[in-house]
Amino acid sequence: MESGMDSAAADGLSIAPDTPKDALDGQADANSPSNQPSVIQSTQPVQFSKNNVILLNKAGVIQTAPNSSVQSLQVVDAESLPAQYEDEAARRRREILTRRPSYRKILNELGGGEISEDKGDGDVDTQGAANYQGNGIIKVIPANTIQISGADGVQGLQTLSMSSAGTGGGNTIVQYTQGDGQFFVPVSIPVTGSLKLDQGSSQHMVLTSSGEVVGEEVTKKREVRLFKNREAARECRRKKKEYIKCLENRVAVLENQNKALIEELKSLKELYCQKKLP
DNA sequence: TTGATTCCGCGTCATGGCTA
DNA sequence: TAGCCATGACGCGGAATCAA
C-alpha cells in the first residue's frame, strides 16, 4: 500500500487530504474544513494537537473530528500492510473460506480484532438467576425460584415451580400445579448458588399428568447435548454479529481509503498539469 | 386502536470439519 | 472412527413499526 502524496508518506505515514496536515507536527488546525472522518495510517508515532477527536477502530484506523480534548496520540499498530502481506493474507482468507467458516478465524485473518471469548449476557449467572429452558422445561428466576413448565413433547407435564428458602440449600419445596388442583412435593434438590443443569445435574425429574414423580436419567445425555448446542448457537450468533460489525467497519475504512486515493490522484494530476505548462 | 408486516433472538436439528 | 464443536437452516414467539 503505497500512498506517497506528501513528505509524510516518505516516513511511512499517509494522511488523507482532508486531514489537517499541521497535525503531523502538533499544530493541527482546530477549524478543520471538513467534519468528514479522515483516514490516517502510520508506522511511526503520530502526534495530534488538541481539538481533534480521535477515534480508533479495531482495524487500527484513526478518525479525527473537531472539538476534542485529546492532545496527543501514538499510532502503534496502524493498518499499513505491504502489498505482499496483503496477498498472503488474501490467500489465507481464501483458504479458510473454502473450509467451513469460523467467524473468529475469519475475523482474525481479516485483522479486524479478536472476537472476545466472553459470552456476554449469558442466561446463567453466578447469582442464582439462571435461566434454563432446555426443551422449554426449566426456568430459574431470581429469589431462588424455579419454574418448570410444560413443553411440546413433554406429555402431561403441567406447571412446576420450586422455591428454596435461603441459600443454604436443603430441602426444596416443589409446587406442582395441575389444572385447578395444587399440591406440594418435598424433594431435595441441590441448588447451590448458580444452577447449572447443563453439566448434568444428576437428578432429572419428570412429573406425569397423574402427579407421579419419576426420577430418571434417561434424557440426561440428550439434555446435555441440547444445552451445549444451545450455548454454542448463542455464542455463534454473537460471533456472527461481531463479525458483521467488523466487516461494516472495514467497508467504512476502505471507502475512506478509496476516497483518499481518489483525492490523491486528483491532486497529482493537477500537479502534473501545472508542471507541464510552461 | 388494531391487524398486518418486519425484525430479531432463540432453540433445535442436521451436517461438515477437526481431533484424540 | 467416534465424539465434539461450529454453523447453516428452519420454525417460533415477542417486540417494533406501519397503515387503515
Side-chain angles (χ1 to χ4, degrees), chain A residues 5 16 83 122 171 177 192 207 246 256 269:
Chain A
M5 93 181 92
N171 285 346
T177 306
T192 57
L207 262 65
C246 181
N256 279 335
K269 273 185 180 175

Side-chain angles (χ1 to χ4, degrees), chain A residues 36 68 70 94 99 174 209 222 228:
Chain A
Q36 288 273 353
S68 135
V70 176
R94 277 196 302 275
R99 300 198 297 266
V174 176
S209 56
R222 172 181 158 82
K228 282 186 177 177

Side-chain angles (χ1 to χ4, degrees), chain A residues 192-211:
Chain A
T192 57
S194 73
L195 182 71
K196 290 212 169 183
L197 293 173
D198 54 310
Q199 301 308 321
S201 63
S202 57
Q203 303 194 15
H204 177 70
M205 200 170 58
V206 175
L207 262 65
T208 65
S209 56
S210 61

Side-chain angles (χ1 to χ4, degrees), chain A residues 4 18 21 68 81 94-95 123 127 131 138 142-143 154 159-160 163 222 232 237 239 251 260-262 266-267:
Chain A
D18 55 348
K21 289 192 168 68
S68 135
L81 283 173
R94 277 196 302 275
E95 276 182 8
D123 282 335
Q127 305 301 316
N131 180 357
I138 294 185
V154 183
T159 299
L160 174 73
S163 58
R222 172 181 158 82
R237 288 177 180 123
K239 281 190 293 182
V251 166
L261 288 172
I262 289 172
K266 209 183 288 182
S267 62

Side-chain angles (χ1 to χ4, degrees), chain A residues 200-267:
Chain A
S201 63
S202 57
Q203 303 194 15
H204 177 70
M205 200 170 58
V206 175
L207 262 65
T208 65
S209 56
S210 61
E212 182 186 3
V213 179
V214 182
E216 286 186 29
E217 289 193 39
V218 176
T219 57
K220 181 184 167 187
K221 203 173 179 181
R222 172 181 158 82
E223 283 184 0
V224 169
R225 182 170 55 80
L226 286 180
F227 181 88
K228 282 186 177 177
N229 187 244
R230 194 155 51 235
E231 292 293 304
R234 200 174 292 150
E235 175 69 5
C236 185
R237 288 177 180 123
R238 189 185 67 81
K239 281 190 293 182
K240 189 174 184 177
K241 280 179 71 176
E242 206 165 320
Y243 170 68
I244 289 173
K245 260 187 203 168
C246 181
L247 285 183
E248 289 170 349
N249 286 342
R250 196 163 179 83
V251 166
V253 166
L254 291 175
E255 281 177 349
N256 279 335
Q257 286 180 347
N258 192 37
K259 204 190 296 180
L261 288 172
I262 289 172
E263 289 296 321
E264 180 184 351
L265 178 63
K266 209 183 288 182
S267 62

